[in-house]
C-alpha cells in the first residue's frame, strides 16, 4: 500500500496460493511488518495504536452489553442495573465500557494535541488530518448517545440540552429538533433511535479509521523533527520496532485505565446518573461528560446577542465553530516549519492553548455565574484567537530555529549530546541487528 | 546494556518467550468475562427452583408449571395408567434408561424408576418431546400417555418413548415431595 | 516529557490561583447560595482503598436500621433478598428473612392478585404502591429509592481535591454524605435564615437549607445484638455502609480483580519494556 513496491515474498505454497488470488497476507506484511516508520518517533506516536485497541475494546464490550440492555424508557435503567448486579462479570463489562469511553477521549485528545504540536496536519497530510477530525466528530456523537442509554437523570437532561442546540437554528430549528427526538421531548422514540445509532456509529468510526490508516500509509508518518524521510537510514521496519514500542505504550495506558475501572469506576461519571430519569425535575447543575466540557463552556460563554444573531444561536454557532476550527487547521497555519520543536513562539502559544482548553473544561463544570462567565468568555476568545490569529500570523513573523538536514542527523545529534559525545559512526544502521 | 547480554542468545530467547506467554495469558484472561456474561445470570438461577401445591390434583388430572422456561407436567395418574406402565417389559422399550435426574444415569426405565418411591401415582416430567422440543399432548396416542403432534412421537403413561422419531424417554427433573401436597422442582 | 510535566505544573499553579480567587467570594450566612452549607465529614470506611472490604457485621446492623426505620418510607427496589448472602447470611436465614415480607403477586388461575410470603428471589417490597402515593403520604416529596443512593449522592469535591482523590482513591462521597446528613439534624439555623414550613434545617443537605425528611434516627431506637453503641452516629455509619453495599454489591470482587489485573500489567509491562530495549538496542532514536 505504501510506495507501490512490495518486499513481500511468499514462502510456502499456501502463501503463494493466497497471494495469487487475494493478496491479503501481502497487504498485512506491507502495512504492518515491512512498513517503514521514522526511527525517531517518541511515545506520543503510540496513541494511534492505543486508539485502535480502545475502539476494539469499546465495540466488544458494547456488543456484549447490548445482549443484556433494553432500550425502553421503563426498563433501560433497571436493565443496566441488572447488568451491574446479576449478569456474570456484568459490572466489569459495564465499567470497562463507561470508563473506556472516557479513556478513548483521553487518548484522542493526546493524539490531536500531538498533531497540533508537531504540525502533523501540514501538506501532504491534510486529508489524513481531516479524516481524523471526522473520526473525532463521530466519537462525540457516539459518546453522547451512549451516555443517554442508562436513562439516568444526566442522560435525560443531557439529551434534552444537546438536542436543544438544533432549536437555535432559525425557521427550521424546532422542526429539526422534533425530527431528532421523534416527539416533543426526549422519550421512548429518542431512546430507541439513540440505541440503534449508538450501535451503528462505532462501525462507521471503524470504517473511517481504515481510511485514516490508508491515508497515513500513503503519505507516511510525520515525526518529532517534522522533516520528511529522505533515506533508508531515517526509518526502521514497523515490526518489530514500532510494534514493540506501541505495545509498551498500550500497557502503560491500560494500566491507568484499569486503575480507574477497578478503583475509581464512578470518578469520571456524575452521581445524578444513578437516579432514574425524571422528565419533570431538572438536576441542580447539568454537566455533560468531561470530554465535552470545553465546548460546553464555549456554548455558555455567549451570553450576549451579536447583531442579528441572538445569544442562543451565537452559543451554538461558537460551539460548532470551535470544532470546525480543527478542520481548517491545515490552511490556517502558514509556517513552513512543521514541528513546534523548532518554533519557539508557536511552542509557547501551543502550551497556552492546552492550558486554555483545560481551563475551559474546568469552567464548563462550574455553574455559569459570576466571574466564571467572564473567564469563560476570555478563554473562548483565546481559543478562537489561537486558530484565527496566532496560527496564520505566527507563521509569517516567527524565526524558526535551525532545522537538521535529516532525521538521522537529528537522532545522532541528540544521541551524542545524551551519551556525552560518542562518535557518530558508532551507531550502526538498524538492519544490522538479527 | 552490556555486550555480553546481547551475545547470549538463551537469555534473549527466554525474554521473548516470557513476554509472548504473558501476552497469551493476558488475552485469555480478558476473553473470560466476555464468555462468562453469556451464562445464566444470578436472577435466572435464583428462579431455578419452584414449589408446586398439588393438593387439588385428583387422580386422572394434571397441572403444568413453568420451570426454567419449560413446561413441567405434574400428573396424578389413575390406577389403570399405573398398571399399564408397570405391565410394560423393558425389552419393549425404545429407550431402556430411566432418564430420571433423581437416580443414577444408567437406572433402567421401569415404571417405579420413573416416579418417586411411595408416590408411584405421581409423574413429574419435563413435557418436552425429546425429538425436537415440541410439547406433546397429554393422554393421547396409542399408549394412552403423550403424543407429539409435530412428528408423531408416542409416549406411554410413564412418559417413555414407544413409537416415532424421538430417541429418549421424556426427562424427569430433580424434584422432591417436601410435604404430601407440595413438590419442589429443581 | 520533561517539558510536558513543567507545563502541567505551571497549569496547576494557574488553576490553583483561580480556584483560590473563587473561594474568596463569600456568602451571607443567613442566605447561602451554594449547597450543602457544610461539606460532608470524611469518615473512615472499611471498604475504602485498594484492599477495602465490607464489614459484614456492620452491614447486618445497617440492614437492621433500614428494616426498622428507613423502610417505612424508602423503597429498595433493585435489591433482591438472595443477594443478602453478601452480608454473610446463610441460605436458610435469607429464606426466613424473605418470608417475613408479604409480596403482592399474581394473577393466579382465577385471575386474582394475591399476597404471599416473600421468597429469596423476590426484591424488597416498596412501602408505597407508586410514586404518587409515596409523595402524597410524605408532604409532596416522594422519598427516594435507596438501592443506589450511596452512588447517586455526592458533594462536588472542587479543585484541587478532585486531583488528590485520584491518588487516594476517594470514592466514599456517597456514604460520607449519608452519614453527615443523618447526623446533621438538631442544629440551630443561623439567625435570620428562612426555613420553609414543613421542612427541617440540615446544613449537610445537598440542595437547599432544609429538607422534608424529619430527623429519622434517635439514640437507642434500634436494638443491636452485638454490643455496638446504639447511637445516631453509629446507626448512620452502619446504614451508610449498608447502602454502599446495596449500591455496589460487587465492590470487593472488583477491587480484588483490580489488584490482580494491575499486578499482571506491571509484570507484562516490565517484560515488554525489556523486550523493547533489546529490540531497539542498537538503533539510535
Amino acid at each position: 500500500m505504501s510506495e507501490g513496491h512490495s518486499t513481500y515474498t511468499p514462502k510456502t505454497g499456501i502463501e503463494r496460493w493466497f497471494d495469487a488470488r487475494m493478496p491479503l497476507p501481502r497487504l498485512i506484511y506491507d502495512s504492518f511488518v515491512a512498513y517503514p516508520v521514522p526511527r525517531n518517533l517518541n511515545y506520543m506516536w503510540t496513541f494511534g495504536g492505543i486508539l485502535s485497541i480502545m475502539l476494539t475494546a469499546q465495540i466488544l464490550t458494547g456488543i456484549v452489553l447490548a445482549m443484556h440492555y433494553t432500550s425502553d424508557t421503563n426498563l433501560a435503567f433497571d436493565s443496566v442495573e441488572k447488568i451491574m448486579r446479576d449478569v456474570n462479570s456484568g459490572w466489569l463489562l459495564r465499567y470497562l465500557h463507561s470508563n473506556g469511553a472516557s479513556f478513548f477521549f483521553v487518548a484522542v485528545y493526546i493524539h490531536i494535541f500531538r498533531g497540533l504540536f508537531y504540525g502533523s496536519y501540514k501538506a501532504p497530510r491534510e486529508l489524513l488530518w481531516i479524516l481524523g477530525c471526522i473520526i473525532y466528530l463521530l466519537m462525540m456523537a457516539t459518546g453522547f448517545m451512549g451516555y443517554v442509554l442508562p436513562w439516568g437523570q444526566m442522560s435525560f437532561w443531557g439529551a434534552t440540552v444537546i438536542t436543544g442546540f438544533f432549536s437555535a437554528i432559525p425557521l427550521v430549528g424546532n422542526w429539526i429538533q422534533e425530527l431528532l427526538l421523534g416527539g416533543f421531548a426526549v422519550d421512548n422514540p429518542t431512546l430507541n433511535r439513540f440505541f440503534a445509532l449508538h450501535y451503528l456509529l462505532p462501525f462507521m468510526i471503524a470504517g473511517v479509521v481504515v481510511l485514516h490508516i490508508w491515508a497515513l500509509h500513503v503519505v507516511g508518518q510525520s515525526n518529532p523533527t517534522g522533516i520528511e524521510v529522505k533515506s533508508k537510514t531515517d526509518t526502521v521496519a514497523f515490526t518489530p520496532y514500532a510494534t514493540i514500542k506501541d505495545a509498551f505504550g498500550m500497557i502503560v495506558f491500560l494500566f491507568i485505565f484499569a486503575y480507574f475501572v477497578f478503583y475509581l469506576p464512578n470518578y469520571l461519571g456524575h452521581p445524578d446518573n444513578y437516579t432514574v430519569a425524571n422528565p419533570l425535575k431538572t438536576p441542580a447543575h447539568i454537566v455533560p461528560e468531561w470530554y465535552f466540557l470545553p465546548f460546553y463552556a464555549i456554548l455558555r460563554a455567549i451570553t450576549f446577542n451579536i447583531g442579528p444573531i441572538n445569544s442562543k444561536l451565537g452559543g451554538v454557532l461558537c460551539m460548532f465553530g470551535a470544532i470546525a476550527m480543527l478542520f481548517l487547521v491545515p490552511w490556517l497555519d502558514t509556517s513552513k516549519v512543521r514541528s513546534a520543536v523548532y518554533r519557539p513562539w508557536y511552542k509557547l502559544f501551543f502550551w497556552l492553548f492546552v492550558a486554555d482548553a483545560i481551563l475551559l473544561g474546568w469552567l464548563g463544570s462550574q455553574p455559569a455565574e459570576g466571574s466564571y462567565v467572564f473567564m469563560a468568555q476570555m478563554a473562548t476568545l483565546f481559543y478562537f484567537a489561537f486558530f484565527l490569529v496566532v496560527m496564520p500570523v505566527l507563521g509569517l513573523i516567527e524565526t524558526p530555529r535551525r532545522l537538521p538536514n535529516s532525521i538521522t542527523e537529528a537522532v545522532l545529534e541528540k544521541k551524542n549530546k545524551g551519551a556525552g559525545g560518542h562518535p557518530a559512526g558508532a551507531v550502526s544502521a538498524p538492519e544490522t541487528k538479527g | 546494556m552490556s555486550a555480553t547480554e546481547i551475545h547470549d542468545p538463551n537469555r534473549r530467547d527466554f525474554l521473548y518467550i516470557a513476554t509472548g506467554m504473558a501476552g497469551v495469558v493476558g488475552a485469555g484472561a480478558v476473553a473470560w468475562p466476555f464468555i462468562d456474561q453469556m451464562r445464566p445470570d444470578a436472577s435466572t438461577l435464583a428462579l431455578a427452583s419452584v414449589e408446586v401445591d398439588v393438593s387439588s390434583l385428583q387422580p386422572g388430572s394434571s397441572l403444568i408449571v413453568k420451570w426454567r422456561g419449560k413446561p413441567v407436567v405434574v400428573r396424578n395418574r389413575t390406577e389403570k395408567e399405573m398398571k399399564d406402565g408397570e405391565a410394560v417389559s423393558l425389552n419393549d422399550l425404545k429407550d431402556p434408561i430411566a432418564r430420571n435426574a433423581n437416580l443414577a444415569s444408567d437406572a433402567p426405565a421401569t415404571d417405579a424408576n420413573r416416579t418417586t418411591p411411595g408416590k408411584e401415582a405421581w409423574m413429574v416430567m419435563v413435557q418436552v418431546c425429546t425429538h425436537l422440543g415440541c410439547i406433546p399432548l397429554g393422554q393421547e396416542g396409542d399408549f394412552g400417555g403423550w403424543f407429539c403432534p409435530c412428528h408423531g412421537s408416542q409416549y406411554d403413561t410413564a412418559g417413555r418413548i414407544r413409537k416415532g422419531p424421538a430417541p429418549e424417554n421424556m426427562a424427569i427433573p430433580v424434584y422432591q415431595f417436601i410435604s404430601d401436597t407440595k413438590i419442589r422442582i429443581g | 516529557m520533561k517539558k510536558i510535566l513543567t507545563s502541567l505544573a505551571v497549569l496547576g499553579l494557574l488553576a490553583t490561583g483561580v480556584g483560590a480567587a473563587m473561594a474568596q467570594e463569600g456568602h451571607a450566612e443567613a442566605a447561602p447560595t451554594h449547597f450543602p452549607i457544610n461539606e460532608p465529614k470524611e469518615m473512615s470506611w472499611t471498604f475504602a482503598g485498594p484492599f477495602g472490604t465490607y464489614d459484614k457485621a456492620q452491614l447486618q446492623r445497617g440492614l437492621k436500621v433500614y428494616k426498622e426505620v428507613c423502610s417505612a418510607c424508602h423503597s429498595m427496589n433493585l435489591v433482591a433478598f438472595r443477594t443478602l448472602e453478601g452480608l454473610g447470611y446463610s441460605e436458610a436465614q435469607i429464606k426466613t428473612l424473605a418470608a417475613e415480607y408479604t409480596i403482592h403477586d399474581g394473577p393466579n388461575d382465577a385471575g386474582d392478585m394475591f399476597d404471599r410470603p416473600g421468597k429469596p428471589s423476590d426484591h424488597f417490597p416498596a412501602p408505597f404502591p407508586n410514586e404518587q402515593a409515596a409523595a402524597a403520604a410524605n408532604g409532596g416529596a416522594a422519598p427516594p429509592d435507596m438501592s443506589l443512593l450511596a452512588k447517586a449522592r455526592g458533594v462536588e469535591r472542587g479543585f484541587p481535591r478532585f486531583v488528590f482523590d485520584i491518588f487516594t482513591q476517594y470514592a466514599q462521597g456517597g456514604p460520607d454524605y449519608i452519614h453527615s446528613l443523618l447526623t446533621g439534624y438538631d442544629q440551630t439555623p443561623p439567625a435570620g435564615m428562612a426555613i420553609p414550613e414543613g421542612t427541617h434545617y440540615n446544613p449537610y443537605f445537598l440542595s437547599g437549607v432544609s429538607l422534608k425528611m424529619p430527623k429519622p434516627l434517635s439514640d437507642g431506637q434500634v436494638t443491636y445484638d452485638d454490643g455496638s453503641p446504639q447511637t445516631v452516629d453509629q446507626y448512620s455509619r452502619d446504614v451508610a455502609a449498608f447502602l454502599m453495599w446495596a449500591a455496589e454489591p460487587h465492590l470487593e470482587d472488583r477491587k480484588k480483580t483490580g489488584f490482580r489485573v494491575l499486578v499482571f500489567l506491571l509484570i507484562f509491562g516490565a517484560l515488554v519494556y525489556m523486550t523493547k530495549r533489546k529490540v531497539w538496542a542498537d538503533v539510535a532514536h
Side-chain angles (χ1 to χ4, degrees):
Chain A
M1 207 148 62
S2 55
E3 277 130 61
H5 52 81
S6 174
T7 53
Y8 176 71
T9 40
K11 290 178 198 82
T12 62
I14 297 169
E15 282 177 72
R16 272 192 296 276
W17 189 87
F18 259 98
D19 199 47
R21 285 158 182 82
M22 184 186 68
L24 186 65
R26 177 182 297 273
L27 180 71
I28 292 170
Y29 181 86
D30 291 344
S31 313
F32 300 107
V33 180
Y35 176 65
V37 294
R39 61 195 281 181
N40 61 338
L41 297 186
N42 59 35
Y43 277 105
M44 290 295 116
W45 264 264
T46 60
F47 281 88
I50 288 168
L51 284 162
S52 322
I53 57 163
M54 287 315 287
L55 177 63
T56 313
Q58 286 301 88
I59 289 178
L60 289 178
T61 51
I63 286 171
V64 297
L65 287 172
M67 295 180 189
H68 304 279
Y69 173 76
T70 312
S71 63
D72 180 294
T73 51
N74 293 313
L75 303 168
F77 188 84
D78 287 359
S79 73
V80 172
E81 273 308 309
K82 192 181 151 86
I83 293 171
M84 293 295 289
R85 289 159 191 272
D86 291 341
V87 172
N88 301 297
S89 307
W91 59 269
L92 174 59
L93 295 163
R94 199 271 173 128
Y95 278 151
L96 280 173
H97 197 71
S98 60
N99 285 282
S102 278
F103 276 80
F104 201 163
F105 276 96
V106 168
V108 91
Y109 282 129
I110 296 175
H111 196 61
I112 292 172
F113 279 124
R114 189 269 287 156
L116 283 175
F117 185 85
Y118 292 111
S120 305
Y121 45 81
K122 284 186 196 178
R125 295 186 182 82
E126 303 96 319
L127 196 56
L128 176 62
W129 173 264
I130 285 173
L131 286 167
C133 292
I134 292 171
I135 294 171
Y136 175 52
L137 268 185
L138 287 171
M139 275 176 66
M140 291 210 278
T142 312
F144 157 65
M145 286 191 275
Y147 195 54
V148 178
L149 301 187
W151 206 243
Q153 272 288 68
M154 276 299 161
S155 302
F156 182 89
W157 292 99
T160 301
V161 168
I162 292 186
T163 51
F165 294 163
F166 296 93
S167 69
I169 303 167
L171 301 175
V172 291
N174 283 326
W175 187 84
I176 292 178
Q177 192 192 12
E178 281 172 18
L179 180 85
L180 291 172
L181 296 178
F184 304 107
V186 178
D187 209 338
N188 208 40
T190 324
L191 181 61
N192 269 309
R193 66 190 58 185
F194 278 17
F195 181 43
L197 292 173
H198 182 71
Y199 206 120
L200 167 72
L201 287 188
F203 296 99
M204 293 178 64
I205 292 178
V208 185
V209 166
V210 169
L211 299 181
H212 190 65
I213 295 174
W214 184 10
L216 172 75
H217 282 219
V218 171
V219 295
Q221 269 158 310
S222 174
N223 67 82
T225 63
I227 306 161
E228 288 294 339
V229 168
K230 283 172 184 154
S231 67
K232 221 179 162 216
T233 59
D234 285 349
T235 64
V236 288
F238 190 86
T239 301
Y241 295 97
T243 29
I244 193 73
K245 196 164 181 170
D246 279 357
F248 183 64
M250 284 172 196
I251 292 168
V252 173
F253 188 82
L254 288 180
F255 187 88
I256 302 167
F257 176 42
Y259 181 86
F260 274 83
V261 167
F262 291 108
Y263 294 132
L264 295 164
N266 296 304
Y267 180 85
L268 296 162
H270 196 288
D272 279 350
N273 230 24
Y274 280 111
T275 303
V276 67
N278 180 353
L280 302 177
K281 201 175 157 211
T282 310
H285 300 296
I286 301 184
V287 277
E289 287 282 79
W290 68 267
Y291 36 84
F292 295 135
L293 287 174
F295 301 108
Y296 191 58
I298 291 175
L299 170 83
R300 299 189 307 181
I302 310 303
T303 53
F304 43 85
N305 297 343
I306 310 158
I309 301 169
N310 67 21
S311 54
K312 178 176 175 180
L313 179 59
V316 172
L317 287 177
C318 279
M319 194 192 67
F320 283 111
I323 303 165
M325 286 297 119
L326 290 172
F327 284 84
L328 301 177
V329 159
W331 296 278
L332 288 173
D333 187 351
T334 52
S335 173
K336 294 207 165 44
V337 178
R338 271 208 192 92
S339 170
V341 172
Y342 305 100
R343 299 181 60 192
W345 281 103
Y346 177 74
K347 195 195 267 177
L348 174 72
F349 278 104
F350 169 83
W351 286 114
L352 284 175
F353 177 71
V354 174
D356 187 62
I358 294 171
L359 178 66
L360 275 170
W362 181 69
L363 289 168
S365 74
Q366 298 302 310
E369 58 191 27
S371 51
Y372 293 126
V373 176
F374 177 71
M375 284 163 70
Q377 286 167 347
M378 288 301 106
T380 303
L381 192 66
F382 180 80
Y383 182 98
F384 284 99
F386 175 76
F387 289 107
L388 297 174
V389 181
V390 173
M391 274 199 162
V393 173
L394 215 53
L396 303 174
I397 60 172
E398 186 182 35
T399 320
R401 284 169 43 204
R402 187 192 68 84
L403 283 169
N405 292 317
S406 70
I407 292 172
T408 310
E409 188 191 297
V411 164
L412 297 184
E413 252 173 34
K414 194 176 128 207
K415 169 110 182 167
N416 290 344
K417 240 190 277 168
H422 275 301
V427 184
S428 57
E431 284 79 12
T432 53
K433 178 111 192 289
Chain B
M1 201 158 295
S2 71
T4 49
E5 256 180 307
I6 292 164
H7 293 300
D8 181 354
N10 290 328
R11 185 140 174 212
R12 190 189 62 191
D13 291 348
F14 172 75
L15 180 62
Y16 290 170
I17 289 165
T19 310
M21 298 248 288
V24 171
V25 168
V30 166
W32 173 243
F34 289 86
I35 299 159
D36 189 33
Q37 55 88 23
M38 303 270 254
R39 293 178 16 229
D41 68 29
S43 62
T44 308
L45 293 174
L47 298 171
S49 85
V50 287
E51 283 172 18
V52 197
D53 183 2
V54 295
S55 54
S56 61
L57 276 189
Q58 298 303 315
S61 57
S62 29
L63 62 79
I64 286 178
V65 289
K66 203 167 115 182
W67 176 70
R68 289 185 171 176
K70 289 178 185 170
V72 169
V73 62
V74 180
R75 179 163 179 80
N76 193 349
R77 296 190 292 173
T78 60
E79 288 290 322
K80 184 179 177 299
E81 285 176 337
M82 287 164 68
K83 287 222 174 74
D84 286 353
E86 284 157 18
V88 179
S89 147
L90 279 180
N91 297 330
D92 294 341
L93 293 176
K94 198 174 165 191
D95 176 20
I97 295 168
R99 308 287 170 196
N100 185 340
N102 305 286
L103 300 176
S105 61
D106 58 349
T110 58
D111 190 76
N113 276 348
R114 298 281 295 167
T115 55
T116 297
K119 294 278 182 190
E120 280 83 3
W122 296 86
M123 274 303 301
V124 178
M125 180 172 77
V126 178
Q127 195 178 341
V128 171
C129 183
T130 57
H131 181 219
L132 291 167
C134 292
I135 298 175
L137 305 167
Q139 291 67 57
E140 284 195 25
D142 301 352
F143 302 89
W146 283 266
F147 169 74
C148 182
C150 290
H151 308 99
S153 293
Q154 310 218 15
Y155 298 84
D156 66 15
T157 55
R160 292 170 294 195
I161 181 67
R162 302 298 292 278
K163 220 169 116 182
E168 289 177 8
N169 304 327
M170 277 193 274
I172 293 179
V174 174
Y175 74 95
Q176 92 189 84
F177 277 86
I178 45 178
S179 72
D180 270 358
T181 57
K182 243 185 170 178
I183 303 175
R184 187 172 64 205
I185 302 166
Chain C
M1 201 62 204
K2 208 196 280 168
K3 275 177 201 140
I4 296 169
L5 290 176
T6 331
S7 315
L8 279 177
V10 170
L11 201 74
L13 285 175
L14 194 88
T16 318
V18 171
M22 291 287 120
Q24 278 164 8
E25 279 179 49
H27 50 74
E29 217 185 35
T33 51
H34 290 85
F35 301 106
I37 299 169
N38 293 349
E39 295 206 350
K41 288 168 282 188
E42 281 182 38
M43 311 301 293
S44 100
W45 302 102
T46 57
F47 48 82
F51 304 107
T53 51
Y54 287 120
D55 174 355
K56 290 201 166 81
Q58 183 179 41
L59 297 188
Q60 294 193 0
R61 293 195 301 271
L63 171 66
K64 198 155 194 268
V65 176
Y66 170 75
K67 270 168 63 181
E68 293 181 16
V69 186
C70 320
S71 65
C73 303
H74 291 275
S75 60
M76 202 159 59
N77 295 333
L78 298 170
V79 180
F81 295 121
R82 61 186 154 79
T83 59
L84 293 173
E85 263 181 3
L87 270 57
Y89 289 116
S90 70
E91 214 181 306
Q93 283 173 308
I94 291 172
K95 254 188 153 158
T96 320
L97 198 144
E100 289 169 18
Y101 287 86
T102 307
I103 305 290
H104 199 56
D105 201 354
N108 61 14
D109 292 344
D112 300 320
M113 302 302 279
F114 57 93
D115 287 334
R116 59 162 176 82
K119 291 187 286 188
S121 58
D122 289 319
H123 289 216
F124 276 91
F128 300 102
N130 52 56
E131 210 188 318
Q132 285 78 355
N138 288 283
D145 183 79
M146 277 193 162
S147 328
L148 282 164
L149 209 59
K151 288 201 286 188
R153 295 291 182 276
V155 175
E156 212 190 311
R157 299 281 286 169
F159 186 84
R161 263 190 306 181
F162 76 80
V163 181
F164 303 147
D165 286 351
I166 296 174
F167 302 99
T168 58
Q169 294 186 5
Y170 180 77
Q172 293 79 244
D176 278 343
Y177 172 75
I178 291 168
H179 170 263
S180 288
L181 185 84
L182 291 175
T183 53
Y185 286 92
D186 292 338
Q187 300 193 26
T188 328
M193 181 184 278
I195 307 293
E197 183 79 31
T199 65
H200 307 269
Y201 173 71
N202 192 324
Y204 294 99
F205 184 49
L206 193 56
S207 42
V209 292
S210 58
L211 68 164
K212 283 257 164 78
M213 177 170 79
K215 184 183 178 199
L217 294 163
S218 49
D219 289 347
Q221 186 176 359
V222 179
T223 312
Y224 280 160
D225 314 321
D226 63 354
S228 302
Q230 297 176 165
T231 59
V232 170
D233 180 69
Q234 189 63 40
Y235 294 152
S236 308
R237 281 171 203 245
D238 294 346
V239 82
F242 169 69
L243 290 178
M244 187 68 213
W245 168 82
E248 188 80 357
H250 296 295
L251 176 141
E252 291 182 11
D253 195 10
R254 188 186 84 213
K255 293 189 172 185
K256 254 182 253 163
T257 314
F259 184 69
R260 286 188 214 123
V261 169
L262 292 188
V263 167
F264 170 79
L265 283 176
L266 219 55
I267 296 168
F268 188 39
L271 283 170
V272 170
Y273 183 69
M274 288 192 287
T275 309
K276 186 246 158 195
R277 294 267 304 203
K278 292 240 150 148
V279 167
W280 283 82
D282 47 8
V283 184
H285 55 282

